[in-house]
Amino acid sequence: MKPFVPQLVYIEPKALEYSLGRDLKEKFEKMGLEIKETTSHNQVRGIPGNNELQQYRNAKSTLVIGIRKTLKFETSKPSAEYAIPLATGCMGHCHYCYLQTTLGSKPYIRTYVNLEDIFAQADAYIEERGDQITRFEAACTSDIVGLDHLTHSLKKTIEHFGKSEKGQLRFVTKYHHVDHLLDAKHNGKTRFRFSVNSRYVIKNFEPGTSSFDERLEAARKVANAGYPLGFIVAPIYLHVDWREGYYELFQRLANSLKDTKVNDLTFELIQHRFTKPAKKVIAKRYPKTKLEMDEEKRKYKWGRYGIGKYVYKDDEAKDMEETIRRYVSEFFPKAEVAYFT
Ligand code: SF4
C-alpha cells in the first residue's frame, strides 16, 4: 500500500495564518498538486465526477487544509474521555465504516492546522479533571496515521502529550506508514493501536487500507520504539468459519510479536453493528458488498440521537466475546482486554 497522496487540495485562506498551513501549501505546490482556495470547507465546490459515486470516490482523495473552529471536544467512550480533533475523513474504503454516515455528503479529508489552539483546549480539559488521568482519542473522525506522513500533526500531538503529566493519547490505524513516528518523544503517554481482523473481513470489507502483514510489520516497529501497544479487533463479524478465522488472526499476531520488546499490550473488542441509515448509504456506495446487514438476524439497541443500532443477538454476542477472550488469554496471557462492546 502506497502512502496517501491527495489528487486535489483545497486551502482555506485562514489556514495560511498558521505555519503548518503555509508549510503544507508549499509542500503540495512542490509536489505539483492542484491547489484551490475555498473560503470554508462547506464551500468546497468542483470535486470532479459524473455521478454521486464517482464524486464520493474523488472526495476521498481530496484534502482540505483548514482550521478547527469548534474547540468543544466530543466525548469518546469507552476508550477515552475526549476525542481530539486533528483531522476528519479518511482515504480508506472500509464498507462498514461509520464515517460514511457521520460525514454524510462531505467525505473529503480535512486536516486542521491550528494545532496550538487544539492543544490549549486539550490542556484545559486535563486541568479541569484535576488529579485524574484524561485520555484523548485521535482517531474518532479519521485514520490519522494514514494522513500523518504528509502533515506530521499527529507526531506533534504525540510529543505534546509526551510532556503532559495527566494527559494521554491514543489512536488506531489500518495503515503502516509509521516510520516518522518512531522517534517521537512519546514518553509512554501514547497508546499506538492497530485495527486487525480475520482474513475474510480484511479481504472483503477493507479496500484501500494496508494489508495485515504491513500492519504487523508496523506494529513490530512501534513495539520496539517503546510505545504502549494495542490491537482493536473490530468489527468482529460472524462470517462462515469465523472461529478459525479469528484463531488464525491471533496465531499470526503472536508469531509476529514474539521477538519484540512489547510489554504493555491491550485489546479492545468491538462486534459489528450497523444503523438503518448506514445500511442505505453502504448499499449505494458499495453496491456489491457482501456485508450482511439483515435486521431480522440482529438485536436492536437504542442509540444516541434516536438512531438505534443493530448488534448481534445476545447468545451470539456472548459466544463471540467468550471465544475472542479465550484466544487473547491463550496467545497473550499478560495482555489486558479493555472492553468488549
Ligand atoms: Fe473508516 Fe478506518 Fe476504514 Fe478509514 S480505515 S475507511 S476510518 S474504518
Side-chain angles (χ1 to χ4, degrees):
M1 176 90 208
K2 288 203 178 120
F4 170 71
V5 175
Q7 282 170 11
L8 187 59
V9 177
Y10 287 83
I11 189 156
E12 296 172 8
K14 270 198 170 298
L16 295 172
E17 292 171 17
Y18 294 83
S19 60
L20 180 57
R22 293 190 293 273
D23 291 350
L24 287 177
K25 183 167 185 269
E26 203 187 312
K27 175 183 218 138
F28 292 131
E29 276 168 354
K30 278 194 190 142
M31 288 165 76
L33 296 174
E34 186 183 356
I35 304 179
K36 296 186 178 184
E37 265 210 11
T38 179
T39 44
S40 130
H41 81 93
N42 285 314
Q43 302 300 318
V44 164
R45 300 274 183 270
I47 292 183
N50 295 330
N51 54 44
E52 219 187 303
L53 202 57
Q54 274 182 9
Q55 273 182 339
Y56 167 72
R57 297 195 82 86
N58 288 330
K60 276 198 162 258
S61 39
T62 298
L63 180 67
V64 182
I65 303 167
I67 56 163
R68 179 75 185 186
K69 292 194 197 96
T70 321
L71 286 170
K72 186 177 177 298
F73 293 5
E74 297 286 335
T75 55
S76 178
K77 292 287 175 199
S79 76
E81 277 68 43
Y82 291 104
I84 183 164
L86 302 175
T88 315
C90 177
M91 62 297 289
H93 278 276
C94 304
H95 296 184
Y96 52 73
C97 179
Y98 65 88
L99 295 183
Q100 300 194 47
T101 33
T102 52
L103 298 184
S105 58
K106 300 187 175 64
Y108 41 75
I109 303 163
R110 294 161 63 195
T111 185
Y112 305 118
V113 297
N114 54 331
L115 293 178
E116 296 76 6
D117 303 338
I118 296 167
F119 295 165
Q121 184 63 56
D123 292 346
Y125 284 125
I126 295 170
E127 186 76 32
E128 251 175 34
R129 285 173 44 88
D131 279 345
Q132 300 174 83
I133 295 290
T134 306
R135 299 163 303 169
F136 293 83
E137 174 72 64
C140 282
T141 52
S142 73
D143 190 311
I144 187 72
V145 174
L147 187 63
D148 205 60
H149 62 95
L150 294 169
T151 64
H152 284 210
S153 46
L154 180 62
K155 184 169 191 180
K156 292 187 186 101
T157 311
I158 291 171
E159 297 200 328
H160 181 79
F161 281 94
K163 288 183 265 167
S164 170
E165 217 183 297
K166 301 283 175 198
Q168 291 182 1
L169 182 68
R170 52 200 50 223
F171 49 84
V172 60
T173 186
K174 290 189 174 76
Y175 291 92
H176 71 285
H177 310 108
V178 301
D179 288 357
H180 70 290
L181 299 171
L182 300 178
D183 67 351
K185 293 174 193 67
H186 59 77
N187 287 331
K189 301 288 174 62
T190 289
R191 185 169 297 278
F192 207 131
R193 294 120 95 217
F194 289 86
S195 168
V196 290
N197 222 310
S198 66
R199 276 185 203 268
Y200 179 94
V201 172
I202 294 179
K203 177 167 169 261
N204 288 298
F205 307 133
E206 298 185 354
T209 63
S210 296
S211 69
F212 184 67
D213 287 326
E214 287 170 328
R215 293 180 215 174
L216 282 186
E217 176 64 35
R220 271 198 297 275
K221 292 181 185 171
V222 161
N224 286 332
Y227 279 97
L229 183 67
F231 291 104
I232 302 196
V233 190
I236 308 173
Y237 180 79
L238 298 185
H239 54 81
V240 174
D241 296 334
W242 65 272
R243 286 172 213 281
E244 292 77 7
Y246 284 95
Y247 191 79
E248 194 218 3
L249 157 69
F250 279 90
Q251 273 177 324
R252 291 169 81 195
L253 271 184
N255 238 334
S256 156
L257 290 177
K258 63 176 187 285
D259 304 323
T260 61
K261 292 196 284 189
V262 63
N263 62 1
D264 179 350
L265 179 63
T266 56
F267 284 88
E268 292 155 78
L269 312 177
I270 306 175
Q271 61 167 307
H272 179 245
R273 71 260 336 268
F274 64 92
T275 61
K276 265 197 199 295
K279 182 178 171 177
K280 268 197 207 151
V281 178
I282 293 166
K284 249 207 271 176
R285 292 185 175 158
Y286 304 102
K288 292 192 191 138
T289 188
K290 287 186 183 167
L291 195 63
E292 174 273 305
M293 290 174 289
D294 181 352
E295 292 88 340
E296 295 295 310
K297 293 187 180 157
R298 301 290 184 106
K299 171 181 139 173
Y300 184 74
K301 214 171 152 185
W302 289 96
R304 271 202 289 180
Y305 315 116
I307 302 176
K309 52 197 167 199
Y310 292 89
V311 294
Y312 284 103
K313 291 192 171 158
D314 289 344
D315 50 344
E316 286 181 323
K318 189 166 173 271
D319 184 11
M320 175 192 278
E321 178 177 1
E322 284 172 3
T323 305
I324 307 288
R325 280 185 186 271
R326 208 170 47 244
Y327 295 166
V328 174
S329 45
E330 178 179 335
F331 288 99
F332 299 99
K334 288 194 203 135
E336 178 205 348
V337 175
Y339 57 85
F340 169 89
T341 178

